Amino acid sequence: MVLAVDAAPNPWFDPSYVSGNWSSILPLLGEHVRLTVGAVLLGTLLAFPLALLARRSRWLAGPVLGFSTLIYTIPSLAMFAFVAPVTGLTATTVLIGLVLYSLVILVRNFLAGLQSVPADVREAALGMGYGKARTLWQVEVPLALPSIMAGLRVATVSTVALVTVGVIVGHGGLGQLITGGFAANFYRAEIVTGALGCVLLALLADLLLAGVGRALTPWSRGARS
């Protein structure tokens, strides 16, 4: 890989860098995607029960939301310092941090969506013979989907950005290109490739989730029109 020196051309973007180093970029992109998808999925599995717990008991809502917010205030370096002694300098360390950081967004949006379901709708479902589980999955969750999908979109975009912090433990996806560019005597093409890749990945993920949200809530499109 060519180092950027003052006497040599050092453009901010060089397509030849991407084509010439694609075999190195692709594994980093794959790691970035895996960490993002894994963190959002695991975060969702944790956040939904917490949102249900907070919705069911008002006095638990404050502690649940406060706990998720408290976790988010922990700097990433400190978070990795807490986790690394157990998991080592592995992708698992980064994944755990990303999952914990996603909770503050997911729990709040899931809870807001569930709380937005009118009480008379739930009562009507129960009056029609729906059990609590059936009411939740067939009535409440569909009505809460706009807020749920909004939370997933924000959490996903935020996670795409946070993955780059994983360079601290050697698993930062496209963030490895950014730090690698700075280490290679400020190699601009490498830096911009990593940064632009993160932006494009976040935009693509957001558009994909927006499309999924529209597909799952066709009634909302009719209401807006």
Side-chain angles (χ1 to χ4, degrees):
M1 188 176 297
V2 179
L3 297 182
V5 294
D6 294 335
N10 188 19
W12 279 108
F13 184 74
D14 185 3
S16 64
Y17 167 79
V18 178
S19 60
N21 294 275
W22 184 246
S23 60
S24 299
I25 296 173
L26 190 59
L28 297 177
L29 175 62
E31 181 180 58
H32 209 116
V33 172
R34 288 193 301 273
L35 286 171
T36 299
V37 173
V40 174
L41 286 178
L42 291 174
T44 299
L45 292 177
L46 289 175
F48 192 73
L50 289 174
L52 288 176
L53 184 64
R55 195 275 303 268
R56 177 174 297 181
S57 179
R58 181 171 298 180
W59 67 271
L60 282 176
V64 169
L65 293 175
F67 176 70
S68 62
T69 303
L70 178 64
I71 292 176
Y72 197 78
T73 63
I74 301 175
S76 56
L77 184 60
M79 178 73 75
F80 292 150
F82 292 144
V83 178
V86 178
T87 57
L89 301 181
T90 64
T92 302
T93 300
V94 181
L95 182 61
I96 291 174
L98 294 174
V99 170
L100 294 176
Y101 284 139
S102 71
L103 292 180
V104 67
I105 300 171
L106 295 175
V107 171
R108 288 180 181 275
N109 278 270
F110 290 0
L111 178 59
L114 292 172
Q115 289 178 332
S116 69
V117 179
D120 56 348
V121 172
R122 289 195 296 269
E123 293 173 1
L126 293 174
M128 293 174 62
Y130 281 41
K132 290 185 177 180
R134 189 180 177 190
T135 299
L136 173 65
W137 292 110
Q138 295 188 11
V139 178
E140 295 182 81
V141 169
L143 292 176
L145 268 179
S147 181
I148 290 174
M149 293 306 301
L152 286 173
R153 290 174 65 183
V154 175
T156 300
V157 171
S158 175
T159 301
V160 170
L162 287 172
V163 167
T164 59
V165 184
V167 297
I168 298 173
V169 295
H171 294 277
L174 294 174
Q176 303 291 146
L177 296 177
I178 299 175
T179 56
F182 281 110
N185 197 19
F186 197 62
Y187 190 9
R188 293 173 178 174
E190 187 174 7
I191 295 170
V192 171
T193 298
L196 187 59
C198 291
V199 173
L200 293 177
L201 183 59
L203 288 175
L204 180 61
D206 187 58
L207 289 174
L208 179 62
L209 288 174
V212 171
R214 286 176 61 84
L216 292 177
T217 57
W219 59 85
S220 63
R221 297 198 300 271
R224 286 194 295 268
S225 60

